[in-house]
Each structure stands twice: as C-alpha cells, then as structure tokens.
Amino acid sequence: MTLAPERHASTKPQGINPRLRVQSDTPRPQRPALKKSGRPNPAAHLTPEQIEGIGHELDALRKEVMDSRGERDAAYIRKVIKSQRYLEMGSRAVLLFSGVKVKGIRPAWWLGTAGLSVAKILENMEIGHNVMHGQWDWMRDPKIHSTEWEWDNASPASQWKHSHNEIHHTFTNVLGRDNDLGYGILRVDEDQKWTLFSLFQPIWHVGNALLFEYSIAAYDLELGKYVATKNRMTDEQKAEFRANRSEVLQKIKRQATKDYLVHPAMSAVTGSARTTLTANLVANLVRNVWTNTVIICGHFPPGISTFEKTSIEGETRGEWYLRQMLGSGNISGSKAMHVMTGNLSHQIEHHLFPDMPSNRYAQIAPRIQDLMERHELPYVTGSLWKQAASVYWKVVELSLPNKVEGRRRRDIVRLELKKAQKKRRRARR
C-alpha cells in the first residue's frame, strides 16, 4: 500500500501515552493489600518489577500488530463504511413508503426503521468512534482520518475527542479525574461519595440511556462544571464555554433538521412524512440505548476496579497498562455482535491500545487474557445480558449508602435528609 505524507492529528492518545515513562526515576512502592473502601486490591500481589515486565510484553505485542497493518485492514474499514452507507440509503428509500399499510401493518416502516437503526449504530460504533481514535490515520486517507471525521451524533467530534481521547483514556477509572465514571450523574463504585442525589439514579440511568447522544453532548461541553463554577470563571473561560455551547447547538440543529425535517419532507410525496419522522425518532432511540448499554458493560460491571488520584502519581507505562486492564470489562458474543459494538466488546484490549484497528482486537484478546491469567489478574468478561443486568443492579444497589457495620442504611439516609433540611433553613434566613 502506498501511503501519503503523514498528517498531524490533534487528539491524544495516539499510540503509547507520551507522558508515561518506561521506568520510574524513583523506586515504585508495593501496592497496598486493601483499597480505601476496604475491598481487596487485585494487583497487590504484583511487584514493581512484574508490572514493568507486563508493560514490556504489551509494548512488544502492540509493535507486532501495528507493524503488520496493511491492505487487509484497510479493506475491512472501507467495506464497513460502504455497507453502512448502502444500508442507510436503502433504509431511507424504503421509508419513503413507510405509510403504506398491508393487512393492517406497515412493513416498510418496520424494515426501514430496523435498517436505519443498524446503520446509525454502525456509524457511531465501528466507524465514528474508532475513526476519531485515529485507528485508521495510518492509511493517510482524508475521508477516514481522525482530524476530518464528523459523526452522526449530537456531540461535535472536536469536543468528544477532548473529553474521551484525552481525558478518559488518560485517566481511566481514576476517581476525581475520569468523569466517565458515571458521567457526573451516577454512582457506580463504592469508593464514590454517596449523596441524596444518588437515591434517584435508577431514574437518571434510564433517562441517560434514552437520551444518550444529548447526555454525551452536555457531558463533553462540561455543562455541569459550568453551572457549578460559572461565578468563579474568568471572562475568557465564559467566552470559551459560550463558543463551545454554540458549536453543540449548531450540531444538534443540523442533526434534528436532517432527521426530523428533511427526510420526512422527502416522504411527503408518498404520504409517509409522519411515519418517516417516527422511524427516525425510533432509530435514534435504539441507537442511544444500544450505545449506552455497550458502554456501561465495558466500564461498570462488578469486578472492574477504580483508582485513587494519588495512585497515578509518577505512574509508569506498565502501571498505566495495568490500570487499563483492571478498569475495563469485555462482552462475549458472535462476530456480528462484536462489529455492532464497534468491537468495544473487547473493551480491555481497546483501553490498552485505543489507536489499534478495531478488527485486530479479537486477534489479540486470547493473548491479553493469557497475560492477565498468568499474573493472577481478573479478566472480566460475560454475555451482553449478564453484564448489562449486573450494571443495572449495581446502579440500584449504589443508589443507597455503603453498608456500615452497626448502622442501617435507612438511618444514614434519614440523617442526610435532616442535614439537608437544616442547610435549607439556614439558607432562607
């Protein structure tokens, strides 16, 4: 394959995180046996030398795979993009007749909606997410380069790449640094502080799934941070937020115009404007719920670890790799299911090598599992339904305070309610 000149990509991480050293300048401490919450530390038995050995082994594996990229990989992503585009165009053509009833049902609506749902999932997961990670930048094709791609989603690519590539993948599962841990509205780990707001998180969780693309847009915009700190912001920070907000609103406007005005208007000539509108709405809801389900299954099931901010001070590459392995979980299933998840069913492998072509994760997964089992580390995996059910139960369980010996949870809730009431009364005075 002939490659065009290298293009500079503005998002990180590209390859191995450049801020991490192969070895620390000072001796690394032995990891404590227990975490702050009192739970066992799954990496406590590893010596610093063993952790650095893991790092060297993963460096070698990464180099082996990245050096072997070629025409087969390029053909894969081009085939996926071509298939997705044909599926979307075909589904939208079918929806032109979505208002036609046959024996009391609208077959074109069902067929077009299903096809459009799959097309939107493929565009977001196997294409958009992975292209914007720089997985295909080595092809030097401007049509599928991370600096050029804009996806079918409410969140602008530039803002998503900052919050996801630069922050989440650098500070994976670090409490207080990785905002992906519950997206600021969910308590998904016992080491996260419980508040009265947590009581309602089963409701927030369902709402977040249904409106996931808009939740991610607000999250990437750091809307919550702005509301909490706007009185302390400088004029420059406020101006930057307003510019980003305008970009988000313009993106949402373009998406809504395409799905809820242009395509229904095109179906008006066949009397199918209303049914095309509902088809687009349902397809977006299906995409949102599916994407949310895949994401939570890779980040929040039982057995996945979180980390204190102090634990990453002076972090080496081996320790960063270790954190990615312990802070992620996989989904087992068929090849078709892996493609539909954007290969984020191999979340452990993706977190280790975020810029590796997604079609290679299945290839390296057995070797990653073997590496972790040799070092007695939990390789968290399970079916989609098992992982999703475990997360939903976890969201319900952690909506309540942690169990404390000698105290009932309801008493802790009552105490916090009394404190909140006293605080409210003082504020009124």
Side-chain angles (χ1 to χ4, degrees), residues 29 31 43 46-56 316-322 375:
R31 292 177 174 253
L46 295 178
T47 65
E49 292 74 23
Q50 287 175 314
I51 294 172
E52 296 317 308
I54 290 173
H56 289 304
T316 65
R317 197 149 69 229
E319 290 171 324
W320 182 83
Y321 277 137
L322 179 64
H375 289 87

Side-chain angles (χ1 to χ4, degrees), residues 70 108 136 140 162 171-172 180 189 213-214 219 277 321 345 388:
W136 308 100
R140 318 290 192 262
H162 169 72
F171 301 108
T172 307
D180 275 31
D189 186 85
E213 65 172 314
Y214 301 106
Y219 168 76
L277 174 65
Y321 277 137
S345 47

Side-chain angles (χ1 to χ4, degrees), residues 24-186:
S24 177
D25 293 335
T26 58
R28 300 298 291 156
Q30 185 69 30
R31 292 177 174 253
L34 298 177
K35 300 177 69 177
K36 190 175 181 179
S37 63
R39 291 179 297 168
N41 184 341
H45 61 286
L46 295 178
T47 65
E49 292 74 23
Q50 287 175 314
I51 294 172
E52 296 317 308
I54 290 173
H56 289 304
E57 187 169 341
L58 289 172
D59 280 349
L61 174 58
R62 180 183 187 280
K63 185 177 187 305
E64 175 190 327
V65 175
M66 300 300 257
D67 287 351
S68 68
R69 294 172 299 182
E71 192 62 51
R72 180 169 62 92
D73 303 288
Y76 169 80
I77 188 59
R78 286 180 173 136
K79 180 179 179 181
V80 171
I81 292 173
K82 184 178 180 180
S83 300
Q84 186 276 333
R85 287 175 176 168
Y86 279 140
L87 178 60
E88 181 173 358
M89 289 189 295
S91 298
R92 293 199 182 281
V94 170
L95 287 173
L96 293 173
F97 307 96
S98 56
V100 178
K101 282 188 177 182
V102 178
K103 295 183 179 180
I105 64 171
R106 293 187 171 93
W109 187 92
W110 288 98
L111 181 62
T113 303
L116 187 59
S117 300
V118 172
K120 283 179 171 286
I121 289 170
L122 283 174
E123 196 284 332
N124 273 196
M125 304 295 281
E126 183 67 336
I127 304 172
H129 172 274
N130 296 332
V131 168
M132 292 190 296
H133 258 300
Q135 293 183 7
W136 308 100
D137 286 3
W138 58 274
M139 293 168 57
R140 318 290 192 262
D141 184 344
K143 294 180 181 179
I144 48 177
H145 198 278
S146 63
T147 57
E148 301 294 333
W149 191 271
E150 187 58 70
W151 60 344
D152 178 23
N153 200 282
S155 182
S158 59
Q159 294 184 30
W160 181 87
K161 285 185 286 188
H162 169 72
S163 65
H164 187 81
N165 292 5
E166 296 182 31
I167 298 178
H168 170 57
H169 274 273
T170 298
F171 301 108
T172 307
N173 282 28
V174 177
L175 296 166
R177 297 299 299 271
D178 180 12
N179 292 328
D180 275 31
L181 273 171
Y183 301 105
I185 61 171
L186 300 176

